[in-house]
Amino acid sequence: MSDHQKAEKIPEKVNLITGKTRVFAILADPIYHVKTPQTMNAVFDAHGLDCVLVPFHVSPAGLPVLVEGLRKLQNFGGFIATVPHKPSMLALCDEVTDAARHIGAVNCVRREEDGRLVGTMLDGIGFVEAMRLRGADVSGMKVFLVGAGGASSAIAFGLADAGVSHITISNRSVVRAVELASRLTAAYPGLSVSTDDQDIEHHYLIVNGSTLGMQSSDAQPIDFTRIHATHLVADAIMEPAITPLLAAAQSKGATIFPGKPMLEAQILLMAKHMGALPQD
């Protein structure tokens, strides 16, 4: 078959990438699990935008070099940063929002025409909104949060802003848990915060904001035997869709909240911050 014949067989509905296409990216390590390209490109298509978002697999060591190169790409609009790059992006941006500064991490970056990078953090907003869309109002809840990294910090601040009454932070590094607790109490003096993670049962909402559960060999983020049917259990991990934590919670009759709706709830906010869609 000739190249001309192959070209004739391309379906009319395929969005062709041309020299006019505006390019966006997601940066991660590993990259296999990300769901953002499918979701964001569907948004671009729905809005009739000549844009594409592609996955970039970059290690932490290579992140500064890549980011510096992206500044120079004149048809590049911005990117989404995910595990493990969110905390590192804070220092690599020229400007960050107050939310990103409080949380200590960035997950969405806009490239200005002059190459300046403006970062924000939308994980917390997306998490709370995803729960609201499922009918769960977190106001007044006691929350048991696993993790103290970028995603967990964003979720913690999002929950605090939404009016939860208490957050217990459980993390492998106690120092990082204490540091996150200090930032939370500084920003929300009326919030009850603890790093004593021995008491799971008396919390209403359990959230895994760590990476534990992405690999089958991972340790359990919490002791699964302590989950009961009245818990709400959420996991920020996208792949697998049903993590071991969620599977265990489901088997106990608990209500579960998978990670992908969290992404879907913030995807429009990401498109707006990166300049693909107009700000409200």
Side-chain angles (χ1 to χ4, degrees):
M1 184 182 292
S2 69
D3 289 343
H4 177 70
Q5 289 173 318
K6 290 178 181 178
E8 288 180 341
K9 288 183 174 293
I10 295 175
E12 291 182 3
K13 290 187 177 180
V14 170
N15 294 325
L16 297 178
I17 298 173
T18 71
K20 296 180 179 180
T21 302
R22 192 126 181 94
V23 180
F24 299 84
I26 178 168
L27 282 51
D29 180 28
I31 198 77
Y32 71 90
H33 63 287
V34 297
K35 302 295 185 183
T36 307
Q38 305 94 299
T39 309
M40 185 65 80
N41 287 321
V43 170
F44 291 157
D45 182 52
H47 287 82
L49 300 172
D50 186 8
C51 299
V52 64
L53 185 138
V54 294
F56 287 178
H57 188 180
V58 58
S59 69
L63 183 65
V65 176
L66 173 63
V67 170
E68 188 60 30
L70 294 177
R71 293 177 181 273
K72 313 299 182 184
L73 298 180
Q74 295 183 33
N75 64 337
F76 189 76
F79 60 89
I80 295 160
T82 188
V83 177
H85 302 313
K86 297 176 188 181
S88 300
M89 280 310 309
L90 196 69
L92 295 175
C93 290
D94 299 293
E95 178 185 336
V96 298
T97 61
D98 289 340
R101 188 175 297 105
H102 285 310
I103 293 163
V106 165
N107 80 327
C108 190
V109 178
R110 178 175 69 253
R111 179 193 175 274
E112 304 283 18
E113 290 186 6
D114 61 1
R116 294 178 69 257
L117 300 178
V118 181
T120 191
M121 171 50 82
L122 300 170
D123 277 347
I125 298 171
F127 178 82
V128 171
E129 184 59 23
M131 293 204 68
R132 283 176 176 159
L133 290 173
R134 286 278 308 277
D137 181 1
V138 301
S139 178
M141 286 187 184
K142 291 187 67 176
V143 182
F144 189 93
L145 174 65
V146 180
S152 295
S153 296
I155 291 170
F157 275 85
L159 289 168
D161 195 57
V164 300
S165 62
H166 173 87
I167 300 177
T168 294
I169 303 163
S170 173
N171 194 61
R172 286 170 288 186
S173 167
V174 177
V175 171
R176 293 191 70 184
V178 170
E179 190 274 334
L180 173 55
S182 297
R183 287 190 283 121
L184 277 171
T185 53
Y188 296 91
L191 177 66
S192 170
V193 182
S194 171
T195 57
D196 180 3
D197 61 2
Q198 298 306 303
D199 176 22
I200 297 175
E201 289 85 351
H202 293 94
H203 295 75
Y204 188 59
L205 171 62
I206 299 171
V207 182
N208 178 33
S210 76
T211 60
L212 293 174
M214 286 180 63
Q215 305 289 342
S216 58
S217 58
D218 286 345
Q220 295 180 1
I222 65 168
D223 180 353
F224 292 167
T225 65
R226 300 174 72 179
I227 301 172
H228 52 68
T230 60
H231 276 135
L232 302 182
V233 182
D235 204 319
I237 291 172
M238 306 286 175
E239 182 67 34
I242 300 298
T243 62
L245 171 64
L246 294 180
Q250 206 167 33
S251 72
K252 300 286 186 71
T255 301
I256 65 169
F257 297 83
K260 190 177 179 183
M262 173 180 161
L263 169 64
E264 293 169 343
Q266 67 175 301
I267 205 76
L268 288 176
L269 297 174
M270 289 175 163
K272 290 175 182 178
H273 178 77
M274 293 189 297
L277 290 173
Q279 296 280 353
D280 292 333

